[in-house]
Amino acid sequence: MNNNKHYITTLYKYGWDEHHSINFEPFKRLDHVPVRICMEGQGVFRGTDGSRQILLECSGGFRSLQDMGLQPNPVPGDWCAVKKYDENRGLIEAVLPRTKVFHKPVLHDTNGIRGDGCITIANIDMGAIVIDSRYDFNLHRIDRLVALLSTDEIRPLLILTKIDLIDNIEAYRKRVLSRFQDLPVFMVDSLKGTGIKNLLLYFRPRQTIMLIGLSGAGKSTLVNSLCDRPIARTKEVRDKDGRGKHTTTNRQLYLLPNGSILFDTPGLRVLGMNRGYSEVSNSFPDIAELAKSCRYSDCSHTGEPGCAIKKALSAGELEQDRFLHYLQLCDESHSIEKTLTKRNEKDKALGKVKYLYRRGK
């Protein structure tokens, strides 16, 4: 019991709170310890008990619970109940209930839906969208990334990197804010440290922030600047387009000097949606607010009489390009929702077969 008290005390700097303490109560009498997963790779995980790094594997009992659909696949950011069998090794016996999670985007094209929209990081407070301001600035791309985070109820912010390569920095900020009025925007030069202090002031101690963006956006260089030391591996930029090469291959936790918690993630190669129609619709608050004034509650905003959105478009109060992109994302998410629902049903049936096989029946 004393050991558990020690672990919980030292884990607070990694985001442990009263919510997790309550969920961990049933595991105290089993002499398990709470551990947060910091990184995954090749079927094993690395976590922290607040004092040291621990190599983690899933126990046989945990795998049986997974087969029955009673436990999820562990991911970075998860808080787990762990049975230690060595000072630096342990078995995952349970994943504690999660707060906010991020679902991996899936590819939606003419060939159908590819990917499973699985959870890749858990217990996230904010999602920091990292965009290369010189070579990758694109409002549609920001639309998608904001929607990806918002559909998982993760608060987004935008970090425009490599501002030393652009003229009229404030013009970029204004272009973003004209479309995303409530989106916090930070302009940084990670190599020189410009803008890093303001960003760190926005991050709070014990708050978990996930970096998200395309390969080569400068996420690893940003991590090094935030940590004030070369902790993440980086590569030189390509001459032809000024973009960094893909370097991050794992989702990994870093504890920043100001006490906030940062997850660096591999660059996204796919920017499809990952959730259903209603969640994507809610990620466009300006359009959602206008829709409340439509004559019909089930208005599709594509031609019905009394449509408030059609009126706003005619009056120039809503940008047509933003609305058309909204319709595109909603259409993608609707198709994805139907496909993933069918897949989940098949996965449950397969899990039952696996469980019976493990039990020898």
Side-chain angles (χ1 to χ4, degrees):
M1 190 68 68
N2 288 335
N3 281 340
N4 273 329
K5 180 177 282 190
H6 166 71
Y7 288 129
I8 291 172
T9 299
T10 56
L11 270 178
Y12 272 99
K13 63 183 178 182
Y14 287 95
W16 185 264
D17 58 21
E18 187 63 25
H19 167 79
H20 301 306
S21 294
I22 292 171
N23 289 321
F24 186 70
E25 280 293 327
F27 301 100
K28 282 186 177 180
R29 65 179 181 273
L30 300 175
D31 204 29
H32 294 347
V33 297
V35 173
R36 189 171 199 188
I37 296 178
C38 300
M39 187 172 66
E40 66 175 333
Q42 298 182 344
V44 297
F45 306 87
R46 291 192 180 277
T48 180
D49 64 5
S51 300
R52 60 177 60 84
Q53 293 286 310
I54 301 174
L55 188 66
L56 302 169
E57 297 177 88
C58 298
S59 72
F62 179 81
R63 293 188 185 281
S64 293
L65 291 173
Q66 282 184 296
D67 290 341
M68 291 187 289
L70 299 177
Q71 282 288 334
N73 293 323
V75 298
D78 267 328
W79 292 99
C80 303
V82 171
K83 182 178 181 179
K84 294 183 71 175
Y85 61 89
D86 189 72
E87 188 176 78
N88 300 311
R89 291 176 176 268
L91 297 174
I92 297 174
E93 299 291 351
V95 171
L96 302 186
R98 296 157 166 166
T99 53
K100 294 181 174 66
V101 299
F102 178 69
H103 293 79
K104 185 177 181 179
V106 300
L107 179 62
H108 179 278
D109 59 18
T110 54
N111 296 317
I113 307 298
R114 283 181 276 168
D116 55 11
C118 62
I119 294 171
T120 57
I121 298 186
N123 302 305
I124 300 297
D125 297 306
M126 287 197 301
I129 299 167
V130 183
I131 296 283
D132 177 337
S133 62
R134 173 63 179 86
Y135 296 100
D136 282 326
F137 184 85
N138 184 296
L139 291 176
H140 278 190
R141 184 169 296 138
I142 298 172
D143 259 342
R144 283 183 173 270
L145 290 168
V146 168
L148 280 171
L149 293 171
S150 298
T151 54
D152 280 327
E153 299 183 349
I154 297 172
R155 186 156 48 102
L157 67 140
L158 176 65
I159 303 173
L160 294 177
T161 63
K162 307 179 185 178
I163 60 171
D164 58 310
L165 301 179
I166 60 174
D167 297 322
N168 197 353
I169 296 171
E170 285 306 309
Y172 281 74
R173 189 196 303 273
K174 289 178 181 178
R175 287 179 66 190
V176 173
L177 292 178
S178 67
R179 191 158 177 146
F180 310 93
Q181 297 178 4
D182 299 323
L183 182 66
V185 181
F186 296 88
M187 318 288 288
V188 305
D189 175 358
S190 300
L191 293 177
K192 294 180 180 178
T194 306
I196 295 298
K197 182 178 179 180
N198 288 338
L199 187 55
L200 284 171
L201 287 173
Y202 188 77
F203 293 166
R204 300 299 181 191
R206 302 179 57 251
Q207 194 176 50
T208 301
I209 304 107
M210 172 186 67
L211 298 183
I212 178 175
L214 297 181
S215 298
K219 295 189 298 299
S220 296
T221 305
L222 177 63
V223 169
N224 290 337
S225 190
L226 289 168
C227 292
D228 199 24
R229 59 193 177 103
I231 196 170
R233 188 166 62 93
T234 61
K235 291 183 179 179
E236 294 182 358
V237 297
R238 294 193 294 256
D239 290 334
K240 64 179 181 180
D241 58 10
R243 294 185 59 184
K245 299 176 183 178
H246 182 81
T247 55
T248 303
T249 56
N250 294 302
R251 297 165 186 88
Q252 186 167 348
L253 180 151
Y254 297 97
L255 199 59
L256 299 186
N258 72 337
S260 51
I261 304 151
L262 188 72
F263 269 103
D264 191 14
T265 65
L268 293 175
R269 300 179 185 276
V270 172
L271 281 182
M273 290 294 96
N274 58 8
R275 304 289 278 157
Y277 167 82
S278 59
E279 290 91 347
V280 170
S281 180
N282 291 336
S283 70
F284 288 77
D286 53 339
I287 296 177
E289 186 63 29
L290 283 169
K292 293 178 182 178
S293 300
C294 288
R295 181 183 301 176
Y296 303 110
S297 60
D298 61 347
C299 182
S300 68
H301 319 304
T302 55
E304 293 92 336
C307 176
I309 289 179
K310 181 180 179 181
K311 182 179 178 180
L313 288 168
S314 299
E317 297 170 357
L318 176 63
E319 187 181 346
Q320 185 173 10
D321 177 70
R322 177 167 168 78
F323 177 63
L324 292 175
H325 198 223
Y326 158 83
L327 292 178
Q328 179 184 343
L329 297 185
C330 285
D331 181 63
E332 287 183 23
S333 62
H334 185 67
S335 299
I336 289 167
E337 188 173 38
K338 292 191 294 184
T339 301
L340 294 183
T341 297
K342 291 180 181 178
R343 288 183 186 175
N344 287 336
E345 292 173 355
K346 291 181 180 179
D347 289 343
K348 287 181 180 179
L350 181 59
K352 185 176 181 180
V353 171
K354 287 181 178 179
Y355 172 72
L356 293 175
Y357 177 77
R358 284 181 184 273
R359 302 279 295 180
K361 295 180 180 181

